[in-house]
Amino acid sequence: SIEIKEQQYDVLIIGAGLSGICALHNFRKRFPSWRVGVLEAANNVGGTWYCNRYPGARVDTESLSYAYSWDKDLLNEWTWKESFSTQSDVLRYIEYVCDKHDLYRSIQLNTRVKTALWQDKNNTWLFCDEAGALHRTRFFVSCMGFLSAPTLPAIPDIELFQGEAFHTSRWPKDFDISRDLANKRVGVIGTGATGIQTITAVSKEPSIKSLDVFQRTANWSAPLRNETISPEQMEQHRKDYDALFQLCAETPSCFMHQADPRKSLEVSPEERLELWEHIYAKPGFAKWLGTFSDTYNNREANKLYSDFIARKIRARIHDPEVADSLIPKNHGFGTRRVPLESGYFEAFNQHNVHLVDLQKTPIERVTNSGIITSDGKEHQLDVLIYATGFDAITGAFSSIDWAGKDGRPLLGSSNTKQGERAIWVDHRPRTYLGMAACSMPNMFMVLGPHQPFGNAPRTIEHAVEVISDLLQHCKDHNYSYVEPTGEAVDAWTEHVVESSKGALSNEIDSWMTGVNTNVKGKTVRSVARYAGSAVEYRRRCADSRAAGWKGFAFAQISSSKL
Ligand code: NA7
């Protein structure tokens, strides 16, 4: 008989981005006797910050609040150079953490998981990777990210294009814009956070011949206001880290910005304008999150603020018709994720940058040398960049073939035979605390669906802490099996849906509401994230823990050897 060797773990982490690195560090420290490992599909650590190497990629959360808080020495050693760091600086930071804590030895790179099978007989998960190697583990933690599976646009004849074409999160290695875009006619499809950063950077490249921006939905965007951090400022910031992390722990999405408790409609027009101008002049998400408290659940309040931002945008664009196209019509400011920009709108004042408004002239098809729009015009291109986003939330899970308890698939469509047995039907996750799911025993998720997304490192650290405490509980009681109860999953999923009601963002198609025209079956809105505050989320996690992990069922089995 052929013996297939399998790697064995007590806890296996999938993904080596900010979540996986945080989980690895925590578990290795807390469970020194356990075999802890990470499988990572890419050939480096970093996750989002490794994959998204497109020009202009930058974090639009303040760098200082984007650091791990659990290593005081690291906070003292590390120097942030800019208030909003570039992709390469964030990646350098993650690599530095891995070096400093000797994490690389537990991470297996270039290992993409293809199948996952729950086995009752010994309460373990068996994973098979793309190369056919097996990995068996008692517990596993998904750190796969909710924006990690890129999607190409579903437009006809996309494969015909003969020039260079790629997705922003698959930026070709060593593709240098000043060299490789020199004299080129460049096209970008997509104007989300990624598109806006890419378009701005490419437009500033003096060597390009032209840039065509294919915009399906205009996006509200506002100035980032990045600045360099001097050594003296950094010295001061180091002293303020504790207070900063404390502040982030008290805000709804863990950013360092708080809404003004007043309501827009209760103050005078002058007072309104005063606050708006004040936050507009501030860096980062202040202008999204620091406005009046009713801005994102009161239509009239939202309209007033949107009009204010629209005036700001209009003032920056020479051609009124272009300005009109760049200002969103069908959704209000802040009801989708607000991309922050550094000269995006001014790009459209350049003679070589053209906006193709797909609301007026939708894309008909791709040809071997460009894109034809409905007005019959062929936009000739040498390079085509897809900034078309991700199969968000469930995308990373979709690329693995799951067999949970009783062989149940994790995902499935309601109109297929397989879908009838699926745990999450029609891309609608059902979770307990966004951390665990029925029929997926011993699985935990960091940044899983139904968690309160926001400032990623802050929410990651909290989720890792909770999972770590739960694993400790299993270890202490010799439990080899843990699964949320059906009632707990029903109640939490219902609470997630309830708390999203009234938010204007819930009425808009976006990756946050689970809609993606490029992914089959993602046409119906679902609730992807917990819209109750992060503070409330923490309270609920703490309540479960205090009540002996209420909502979870545990079991011991005697023959529970791996
Ligand atoms: P997003 O925010 O999902 O943006 C994707 C963009 O691509 C958006 O403008 C889409 O238009 C556009 N798109 C997608 N498919 C098509 C097709 N088929 N035709 C034309 N245009 C299309 O992804 P990002 O990568 O920018 O940002 C993701 C998150 O990463 C971001 O929120 C940050 O948190 C980090 P649409 O609006 O759907 O009409």
Side-chain angles (χ1 to χ4, degrees):
S1 71
I2 310 166
E3 196 194 325
I4 301 176
K5 266 190 89 161
E6 54 179 44
Q7 202 77 29
Q8 297 193 336
Y9 307 90
D10 295 285
V11 54
L12 182 61
I13 296 157
I14 306 193
L18 280 168
S19 305
I21 297 301
C22 181
L24 174 61
H25 176 262
N26 182 306
F27 300 161
R28 256 189 20 191
K29 211 166 160 187
R30 187 141 184 202
F31 311 109
S33 65
W34 275 11
R35 294 157 299 177
V36 183
V38 183
L39 304 182
E40 164 58 53
N43 66 352
N44 195 5
V45 297
T48 286
W49 297 108
Y50 174 66
C51 292
N52 289 280
R53 293 184 302 266
Y54 60 83
R58 186 183 284 285
V59 61
D60 40 22
T61 302
E62 287 74 6
S63 315
L64 291 159
S65 78
Y66 210 71
Y68 291 129
S69 69
W70 36 257
D71 179 346
K72 298 282 176 241
D73 294 337
L74 175 69
L75 291 171
N76 280 326
E77 281 158 29
W78 186 259
T79 298
W80 294 108
K81 295 187 295 200
E82 294 176 88
S83 40
F84 301 92
S85 295
T86 59
Q87 168 269 331
S88 58
D89 274 357
V90 180
L91 180 60
R92 210 164 46 79
Y93 170 75
I94 297 171
E95 290 171 339
Y96 183 84
V97 173
C98 290
D99 264 331
K100 177 172 155 66
H101 290 282
D102 187 25
L103 299 179
Y104 283 108
R105 68 179 162 84
S106 305
I107 304 170
Q108 190 176 319
L109 300 172
N110 301 308
T111 307
R112 185 176 286 278
V113 171
K114 291 309 288 176
T115 62
L117 174 69
W118 169 255
Q119 296 194 309
D120 267 331
K121 66 173 193 288
N122 46 13
N123 285 357
T124 57
W125 279 96
L126 186 63
F127 293 95
C128 182
D129 68 32
E130 222 163 26
L134 297 176
H135 311 263
R136 184 182 294 281
T137 185
R138 160 94 347 114
F139 301 104
F140 93 87
V141 181
S142 163
C143 291
M144 299 190 288
F146 57 83
L147 291 162
S148 52
T151 45
L152 293 177
I155 41 182
D157 299 338
I158 190 173
E159 68 290 346
L160 293 184
F161 187 67
Q162 295 297 306
E164 208 154 352
F166 42 83
H167 190 278
T168 42
S169 83
R170 296 290 180 269
W171 198 261
K173 198 167 181 290
D174 302 326
F175 190 98
D176 174 70
I177 56 167
S178 55
R179 184 190 60 215
D180 299 311
L181 291 183
N183 251 326
K184 296 277 163 68
R185 295 161 304 178
V186 186
V188 176
I189 303 181
T191 51
T194 302
I196 284 176
Q197 290 185 335
T198 307
I199 290 158
T200 311
V202 170
S203 73
K204 285 181 182 166
E205 174 48 53
S207 72
I208 61 158
K209 190 164 185 181
S210 61
L211 170 61
D212 286 356
V213 175
F214 296 87
Q215 173 191 274
R216 186 168 67 180
T217 308
N219 232 328
W220 292 105
S221 188
L224 172 67
R225 307 198 193 287
N226 183 35
E227 283 183 355
T228 53
I229 300 177
S230 71
E232 298 73 37
Q233 285 169 326
M234 192 62 220
E235 217 28 67
Q236 182 56 44
H237 288 319
R238 288 194 178 98
K239 298 192 186 112
D240 299 337
Y241 265 126
D242 285 346
L244 176 65
F245 294 137
Q246 185 54 37
L247 170 64
C248 292
E250 290 162 8
T251 63
S253 311
C254 306
F255 293 106
M256 48 188 275
H257 307 286
Q258 297 263 37
D260 188 299
R262 295 173 296 165
K263 294 202 161 82
S264 325
L265 304 170
E266 288 170 1
V267 301
S268 68
E270 294 72 30
E271 281 173 289
R272 268 203 299 269
L273 196 59
E274 193 188 337
L275 177 71
W276 290 343
E277 291 287 4
H278 174 68
I279 56 177
Y280 188 77
K282 285 171 76 169
F285 287 137
K287 54 208 67 85
W288 182 14
L289 308 169
T291 186
F292 296 102
S293 58
D294 57 348
T295 309
Y296 305 114
N297 50 28
N298 179 309
R299 230 169 285 280
E300 203 184 330
N302 187 265
K303 171 86 172 71
L304 289 171
Y305 191 46
S306 300
D307 289 347
F308 167 81
I309 301 285
R311 287 196 291 279
K312 294 286 186 195
I313 295 175
R314 215 175 279 283
R316 295 167 61 186
I317 302 160
H318 298 161
D319 182 336
E321 203 182 321
V322 173
D324 207 49
S325 283
L326 286 167
I327 294 169
K329 310 275 172 314
N330 300 322
H331 70 281
F333 181 84
T335 58
R336 292 174 128 201
R337 199 273 202 201
V338 177
L340 297 179
E341 47 80 34
S342 309
Y344 174 66
F345 294 108
E346 284 76 7
F348 295 93
N349 294 333
Q350 287 176 214
H351 71 279
N352 63 343
V353 177
H354 316 114
L355 181 69
V356 184
D357 185 341
L358 302 180
Q359 297 294 329
K360 294 180 183 156
T361 56
I363 292 177
E364 225 147 61
R365 62 193 165 88
V366 179
T367 67
N368 59 4
S369 56
I371 288 179
I372 296 189
T373 40
S374 66
D375 52 354
K377 186 171 176 188
E378 176 161 10
H379 305 263
Q380 297 276 341
L381 303 169
D382 302 304
V383 179
L384 180 49
I385 299 169
Y386 301 115
T388 42
F390 301 87
D391 180 358
I393 319 291
T394 49
F397 290 95
S398 302
S399 63
I400 297 175
D401 197 0
W402 300 92
K405 209 164 100 180
D406 305 321
R408 289 182 73 186
L410 178 62
L411 296 153
S413 138
S414 53
N415 49 29
T416 63
K417 191 107 199 87
Q418 196 207 27
E420 283 169 17
R421 302 188 63 231
I423 299 163
W424 295 345
V425 180
D426 294 338
H427 302 280
R428 286 163 181 262
R430 300 188 63 77
T431 74
Y432 181 45
L433 296 171
M435 215 171 268
C438 277
S439 296
M440 295 288 284
N442 296 8
M443 175 198 77
F444 304 102
M445 299 177 285
V446 179
L447 291 188
H450 298 173
Q451 282 184 22
F453 311 148
N455 184 347
R458 306 275 66 76
T459 43
I460 286 168
E461 284 186 7
H462 171 258
V464 167
E465 277 296 328
V466 176
I467 294 167
S468 180
D469 288 353
L470 187 50
L471 290 174
Q472 182 74 58
H473 182 75
C474 293
K475 190 169 187 289
D476 293 346
H477 295 81
N478 212 14
Y479 292 137
S480 62
Y481 184 99
V482 46
E483 187 193 358
T485 65
E487 301 80 74
V489 168
D490 289 349
W492 173 254
T493 304
E494 198 178 306
H495 172 64
V496 168
V497 172
E498 265 317 297
S499 17
S500 74
K501 289 191 177 148
L504 296 172
S505 58
N506 214 29
E507 301 169 10
I508 308 293
D509 286 350
S510 73
W511 66 261
M512 295 229 197
T513 50
V515 176
N516 188 331
T517 59
N518 305 315
V519 181
K520 225 174 140 213
K522 277 204 159 175
T523 48
V524 182
R525 285 188 203 138
S526 59
V527 182
R529 62 187 277 266
Y530 178 49
S533 74
V535 178
E536 173 65 11
Y537 178 75
R538 280 161 206 239
R539 190 185 68 72
R540 286 175 179 257
C541 290
D543 282 355
S544 166
R545 176 174 31 204
W549 296 104
K550 191 161 178 279
F552 289 99
F554 299 88
Q556 288 170 333
I557 54 165
S558 46
S559 62
S560 68
K561 282 241 164 314
L562 287 192

